[in-house]
């Protein structure tokens, strides 16, 4: 056999292999679609029929819940069949599309909103930030009327939270106290937007800029909220140095469990992802090597020159990544966020209009000036002279299967986790009196506005509250 014949045989063999590979790929694609189609049929039987059922009095009205359709099921099954399991193509897609939605340069996925807050805070402790880094004993301005994991990272690290009261009917930080709160140890402000209603970002950011403080926006309850900052409408979470989101089922969108940290600062993005990914210095994506092209040609610490960059650690980090299956759900959910936001606003406004006549007995919520909130819930505070108590009202609502919730911790420093610090009067500071915070702890609750609600549910809640107040007044 001459060389020409051998070359011809080799070409034939390659072509035969290509045909076999194409056949296998075709078979895999058909099987994959069959599995997805079966899952979609299950969705129609199990989930879609439940969603389409008309509301009747006596049906449960949850304060929140997941809203999904065929897209989430299809993405989830597709990702599971890839069996990549850890962060992969869907995670990359979500980070790009989420950053684009927010209008920021960088978004980093993590496994919960609480982890997002942990990463946001810990990033500000990095030695790479020099004199601006937060050190043990430094102070972080915040509020006590909120969720504990907004401030838990600061306490766990050894920083000192400084609590200011909130203003009603907005339920956000009283900005008139900011200058009074400032001390030589103040390094940051880290606060949440209350159930989608933004704090005064103009005043808070101006205060932070004036005193060179970090601003972290806990945006977990406010995805989609807009705020007029410096004459330009921006989404909350994008005005501070770092923003955070939660994708737990009750939130504005869900991955089951999940969260994100976002920033316009490339250095902060690198630090955030270092803490998320074990504290490593390397920034190679999962499954990739030598992105920097200097994997074995650098000097770090007191390691030998050329030590493998994939195993160099610049921070004491964690493993807080998501699975690609979670991210796959998130990609489908992200497409629905504009609809979710519109539905929340509609439901909130219907409640507000329907309960307006009860303003004598309730402090009714109001949108913060210069804002378009993406509401997480509808807050009600019972006035001191009302002929009923919060406990009486929520007992009634729960009895007719309307779920209620407190404004999270109410006053966090009253909780058992603060017992030792409260007894010793160490580890935190309070500026002024927390009068409204205590009022919230004692008199406030909220009901849902999530997109899974329909107008019959909203009207039923309105009617039940009206009827309860009428009976209480007799």
């Amino acid at each position: 056999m001459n060389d020409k014949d051998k070359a011809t045989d080799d070409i034939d063999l390659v072509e035969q292999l290509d045909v076999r590979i194409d056949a296998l790929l075709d078979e895999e694609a058909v099987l994959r679609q069959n599995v997805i189609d079966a899952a979609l049929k299950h969705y129609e039987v199990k989930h879609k029929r439940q969603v389409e059922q008309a509301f009747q009095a006596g049906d449960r009205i949850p304060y929140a819940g997941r809203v999904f359709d065929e897209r989430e099921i299809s993405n989830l099954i597709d990702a599971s069949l890839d069996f990549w399991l850890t962060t992969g193509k869907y995670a990359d897609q979500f980070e790009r599309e989420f950053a684009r939605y927010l209008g920021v340069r960088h978004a980093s996925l993590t496994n919960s909103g609480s982890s997002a807050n942990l990463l946001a805070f810990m990033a500000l402790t990095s030695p790479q930030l020099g004199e601006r880094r937060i050190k043990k004993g430094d102070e972080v301005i915040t509020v006590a009327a909120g969720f504990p994991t907004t401030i838990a990272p600061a306490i766990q690290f050894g920083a000192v939270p400084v609590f200011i009261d909130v203003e009603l009917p907005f339920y956000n930080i009283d900005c008139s106290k900011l200058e009074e709160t400032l001390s030589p140890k103040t390094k940051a402000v880290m606060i949440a937007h209350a159930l989608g209603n933004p704090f005064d970002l103009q005043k808070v950011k101006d205060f932070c800029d004036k005193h060179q403080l970090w601003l972290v926006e806990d945006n977990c309850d406010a995805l989609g909220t807009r705020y007029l900052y410096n004459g330009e409408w921006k989404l909350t979470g994008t005005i501070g140095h770092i923003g955070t989101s939660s994708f737990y089922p009750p939130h504005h969108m869900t991955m089951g469990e999940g969260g994100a940290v976002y920033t316009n600062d490339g250095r902060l993005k690198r630090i955030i992802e270092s803490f998320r990914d074990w504290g490593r210095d390397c920034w190679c994506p999962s499954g990739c090597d030598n992105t920097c092209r200097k994997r074995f040609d650098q000097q770090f610490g007191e390691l030998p020159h050329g030590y493998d960059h994939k195993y160099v650690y610049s921070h004491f980090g964690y493993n807080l990544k998501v699975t690609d299956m979670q991210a796959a759900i998130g990609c489908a959910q992200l497409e629905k966020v504009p609809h979710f936001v519109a539905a929340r606003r509609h439901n909130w406004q219907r409640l507000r209009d329907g309960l307006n006549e009860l303003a004598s007995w309730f402090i009714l919520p109001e949108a913060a000036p210069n804002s378009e909130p993406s509401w997480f819930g509808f807050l009600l505070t019972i006035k001191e002279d009302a002929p009923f108590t919060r406990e009486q009202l929520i007992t009634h609502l729960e009895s007719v299967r309307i779920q209620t919730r407190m404004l999270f911790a109410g006053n966090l420093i009253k909780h058992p986790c603060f017992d030792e610090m409260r007894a010793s009067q160490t580890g935190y500071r309070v500026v002024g009196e927390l009068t409204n915070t205590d009022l919230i702890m004692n008199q406030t609750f909220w009901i849902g506005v999530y997109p899974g609600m329909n107008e019959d549910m909203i009207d039923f809640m309105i009617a039940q509250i009206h009827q309860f107040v009428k009976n209480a007044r007799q």
Side-chain angles (χ1 to χ4, degrees):
M1 180 181 292
N2 58 38
D3 290 343
K4 183 177 181 180
D5 290 337
K6 287 180 65 177
T8 301
D9 288 345
D10 289 343
I11 292 171
D12 289 342
L13 181 60
V14 169
E15 290 177 347
Q16 291 173 19
L17 288 172
D18 286 343
V19 169
R20 289 182 182 180
I21 291 170
D22 288 344
L24 288 172
L25 290 174
D26 289 343
E27 182 182 12
E28 192 276 336
V30 170
L31 290 171
R32 179 181 291 258
Q33 191 58 53
N34 287 343
V35 175
I36 293 173
D37 289 343
L40 295 181
K41 182 64 177 177
H42 177 270
Y43 161 79
E44 291 180 2
V45 173
K46 170 67 176 176
H47 301 290
K48 190 174 183 180
R49 291 177 185 175
Q50 294 177 356
V51 172
E52 292 175 345
Q53 289 178 351
F55 171 77
Q56 295 181 344
D59 290 345
R60 183 171 179 267
I61 302 179
Y63 78 95
R66 63 206 194 287
V67 177
F68 63 99
D69 61 21
E70 296 89 344
R71 289 283 291 119
E72 285 82 354
I73 299 295
S74 179
N75 277 16
L76 175 60
I77 299 301
D78 186 54
S80 68
L81 291 175
D82 286 341
F83 213 70
W84 181 251
L85 301 183
T86 187
T87 299
K89 66 177 185 181
Y90 277 109
D92 293 341
Q93 177 186 336
F94 182 87
E95 288 180 336
R96 290 194 307 271
E97 292 178 353
F98 192 54
R100 188 180 306 121
Y101 166 76
L102 292 168
V104 297
R105 294 175 185 168
H106 312 291
S108 305
L109 267 173
T110 186
N111 60 8
S112 73
S114 295
S115 292
N117 283 339
L118 175 63
L119 292 171
F121 177 82
M122 290 304 295
L124 302 181
T125 71
S126 172
Q128 295 177 15
L129 299 178
E131 289 302 311
R132 290 202 66 187
R133 67 181 288 204
I134 297 174
K135 299 179 182 179
K136 295 182 188 300
D138 284 339
E139 295 182 345
V140 179
I141 297 171
T142 189
V143 299
F147 201 75
T149 57
T150 305
I151 66 160
I155 295 170
Q156 291 160 350
F157 173 75
V160 177
V162 181
F163 296 105
I164 305 179
D165 204 7
V166 298
E167 292 183 303
L168 298 175
F170 309 118
Y171 298 87
N172 280 306
I173 189 168
D174 181 355
C175 293
S176 69
K177 302 289 186 183
L178 285 172
E179 291 290 345
E180 182 184 348
T181 306
L182 191 70
S183 84
K185 292 185 176 182
T186 307
K187 285 290 184 69
V189 177
M190 187 166 178
I191 40 181
H193 302 292
L195 291 196
N197 205 15
F199 58 81
D200 192 331
L201 276 158
Q202 189 70 61
K203 290 181 180 177
V204 173
K205 186 61 163 58
D206 287 349
F207 170 77
C208 289
D209 290 345
K210 176 182 176 181
H211 299 288
Q212 293 188 305
L213 307 176
W214 298 108
L215 174 58
V216 179
E217 294 179 68
D218 181 339
N219 200 42
C220 291
D221 299 333
L223 183 62
T225 290
R226 301 207 311 157
Y227 185 87
L228 187 63
Y229 174 72
N230 285 343
E232 180 182 357
W233 285 101
K234 289 181 173 289
L235 288 170
T236 53
T238 70
I239 295 170
H241 299 92
I242 304 175
T244 62
S245 281
S246 171
F247 306 133
Y248 188 63
H251 286 271
H252 289 67
M253 57 161 285
T254 187
M255 295 181 181
E257 300 284 355
V261 192
Y262 29 100
T263 182
N264 284 308
D265 188 315
R267 179 173 60 169
L268 288 177
K269 183 253 190 186
R270 282 279 308 277
I271 296 170
I272 288 163
E273 293 187 353
S274 173
F275 273 104
R276 181 193 67 183
D277 302 347
W278 308 285
R280 67 179 187 169
D281 196 79
C282 173
W283 62 88
C284 288
S286 183
C288 296
D289 293 333
N290 205 23
T291 304
C292 64
R293 305 295 182 187
K294 298 185 292 183
R295 179 179 172 187
F296 301 108
D297 190 30
Q298 299 182 77
Q299 177 69 56
F300 297 98
E302 295 185 357
L303 292 167
H305 182 271
Y307 197 84
D308 189 350
H309 191 211
K310 287 185 73 71
Y311 292 95
V312 173
Y313 302 93
S314 50
H315 301 99
F316 293 104
Y318 316 92
N319 179 5
L320 301 176
K321 295 182 294 181
V322 297
T323 69
D324 220 38
M325 292 173 288
Q326 291 169 276
I329 297 169
C331 288
Q333 285 273 290
L334 187 55
E335 298 169 0
K336 298 177 172 65
V337 166
H339 163 72
F340 288 165
V341 171
R344 286 177 175 277
R345 287 175 178 158
H346 172 81
N347 292 343
W348 187 93
Q349 191 60 55
R350 192 174 183 89
L351 279 169
R352 186 64 174 76
D353 293 342
L355 297 174
N356 193 54
E357 295 176 7
L358 302 181
S360 297
W361 314 116
F362 295 102
I363 298 174
L364 296 172
E366 294 182 18
N370 302 314
S371 78
E372 293 178 357
S374 173
W375 298 100
F376 189 50
F378 190 90
L379 282 157
L380 286 166
T381 298
I382 290 90
K383 291 184 177 180
E384 297 287 354
D385 59 349
F388 53 89
T389 66
R390 177 180 66 182
E391 286 64 34
Q392 289 171 334
L393 176 52
I394 63 176
T395 297
H396 169 72
L397 294 177
E398 295 282 351
S399 74
V400 293
R401 307 198 70 194
I402 298 171
Q403 259 193 329
T404 63
R405 289 292 184 267
M406 301 293 108
L407 183 50
F408 307 127
N411 183 345
L412 184 57
I413 64 175
K414 302 290 188 181
H415 284 256
C417 57
F418 263 80
D419 282 352
E420 291 184 1
M421 288 189 289
R422 194 169 57 248
S424 63
Q425 289 295 296
T426 59
Y428 71 100
R429 285 201 299 124
V430 175
V431 174
E433 300 294 327
L434 301 184
T435 304
N436 287 334
T437 301
D438 285 337
L439 179 65
I440 289 166
M441 176 179 65
N442 292 310
Q443 302 289 100
T444 300
F445 74 100
W446 59 277
I447 52 180
V449 298
Y450 84 107
M453 289 181 168
N454 58 41
E455 293 191 350
D456 289 340
M457 295 177 179
I458 301 290
D459 292 344
F460 181 77
M461 291 194 292
I462 293 170
Q464 286 297 317
I465 295 172
H466 271 278
Q467 188 61 49
F468 172 84
V469 172
K470 180 181 178 181
N471 292 342
R473 294 179 63 192
Q474 292 176 350

